[in-house]
Amino acid sequence: MGMAAGMAADMAFGDPRRGHPVAVFGAAAAAAERRLYRDSRPSGAVFAAAGVVAAVVAGGLAGRAGTPGVAAVTFSAVGGTTLCRVGGRIADALDAGDLDGARAMLPSLVGRDPSLLDEAGICRAAVESIAENTSDATVAPLLWGAAAGASGLAGYRAVNTLDAMIGYRSPRYLRFGWGAARLDDAANLIPARVTAALAGVLSGHPIRAARAVHRDAGRHPSPNAGVVEAAFAGALGISLGGRTVYPHGVEDRPVLGEGRVPQAADLRAAVRLSRRVQVASAVLAVVVRAGVSGRSGGPAARRPRRRGWSRRPRR
């Protein structure tokens, strides 16, 4: 019930503009990094592990409050609604011919330099982000919540946040961010593939999506982003990937899918597909969590029998 309520709140309100718990965690992690940074893998791994453990403990404490606590953690951990709203606004700006406006909104989705992108590049960047973050911002936290409750929700969000902060291949984070990046890869291994499967089925083109994943995903530098981006590319009948400019350098990404270069209409289609995948994953997670709680002795299983009541039939 808490997970369902938290997901419903995200769908209704999106991310809060101020005081978001993830932003508070990120600020605390950034302050800690300034003091604890060392250019080594062990130091970075310890830093990432400490942040995740703190989040798991905080999530577990919130979960003890019952349904309201789990709802609050779920609302904090998921962020698919804001993702789709930004994608829709970028498409609106492009349809209106407002290229500068679209560029101004893009940094909230991706880390690449928007000043170097034309309309096709903006659409491609936005679709890739929506595909990857459908998994990262909704499917993955919900599946971790289904497996481990509020602790799983908060722990996963900490993993993903730390990866977004320090999991870069830049000179500063190449070694220090290695642990966070590998932890994020492991945490998203199953959710990314669930996202890809749901995208294929819910798009109505499961074979086309599966073919793109099988053919192209392995060439992507990320073991998980490549899967979901290829699935969305195949499902939408477009091509993604190519030369990508980041602040830390240029990466030549493999082409995913086989079709036209994405346009504003394809960005809107990606938003619609993302929403469907999010809803389906929420239903899946709630059903799985109900089953896990029932088998592990949840509230219903722990409810005491009434005194004097017996299952044996009367004679």
Side-chain angles (χ1 to χ4, degrees), residues 1 12 25 46 70 87 94 105 125 130 154 200 202 211 239 247 261-262 289:
M1 291 176 61
F25 173 82
V46 171
V70 176
L94 292 174
M105 289 183 279
I130 287 171
L202 296 174
R211 186 184 299 118
S239 62
V261 175
R289 185 61 190 168

Side-chain angles (χ1 to χ4, degrees), residues 182-234:
R182 298 292 78 75
L183 193 58
D184 184 74
D185 287 343
N188 283 291
L189 195 65
I190 294 175
R193 283 142 185 87
V194 172
T195 303
L198 290 174
V201 171
L202 296 174
S203 69
H205 300 287
I207 296 176
R208 199 167 67 187
R211 186 184 299 118
V213 171
H214 177 74
R215 183 187 62 239
D216 302 329
R219 296 184 288 136
H220 196 281
S222 169
N224 300 315
V227 172
V228 290
E229 289 178 20
F232 267 66

Side-chain angles (χ1 to χ4, degrees), residues 124-272:
R124 178 203 137 197
V127 171
E128 288 174 355
S129 178
I130 287 171
E132 181 178 2
N133 285 292
T134 298
S135 177
D136 290 359
T138 300
V139 179
L142 288 174
L143 292 185
W144 277 101
S151 293
L153 283 159
Y156 171 79
R157 180 47 59 207
V159 168
N160 191 246
T161 301
L162 290 169
D163 176 64
M165 293 176 64
I166 65 174
Y168 291 102
R169 297 177 181 177
S170 62
R172 177 176 176 85
Y173 294 126
L174 185 62
R175 285 178 285 274
F176 186 77
W178 177 86
R182 298 292 78 75
L183 193 58
D184 184 74
D185 287 343
N188 283 291
L189 195 65
I190 294 175
R193 283 142 185 87
V194 172
T195 303
L198 290 174
V201 171
L202 296 174
S203 69
H205 300 287
I207 296 176
R208 199 167 67 187
R211 186 184 299 118
V213 171
H214 177 74
R215 183 187 62 239
D216 302 329
R219 296 184 288 136
H220 196 281
S222 169
N224 300 315
V227 172
V228 290
E229 289 178 20
F232 267 66
L236 298 172
I238 59 176
S239 62
L240 300 173
R243 187 174 185 269
T244 305
V245 181
Y246 291 101
H248 60 269
V250 178
E251 296 183 14
D252 287 318
R253 297 288 180 86
V255 175
L256 308 175
E258 49 184 4
R260 63 185 178 278
V261 175
Q263 302 171 354
D266 300 306
L267 176 52
R268 293 187 189 282
V271 167
R272 292 193 296 270

Side-chain angles (χ1 to χ4, degrees), residues 2-7 9-10 15 20-22 55-79 137 141-142 144-145 148-158:
M3 289 177 63
M7 184 63 182
D10 177 71
D15 293 336
H20 197 298
V22 175
V56 167
V57 172
L61 292 174
R64 291 186 177 184
T67 299
V70 176
V73 176
T74 304
F75 178 60
S76 300
V78 300
L142 288 174
W144 277 101
S151 293
L153 283 159
Y156 171 79
R157 180 47 59 207

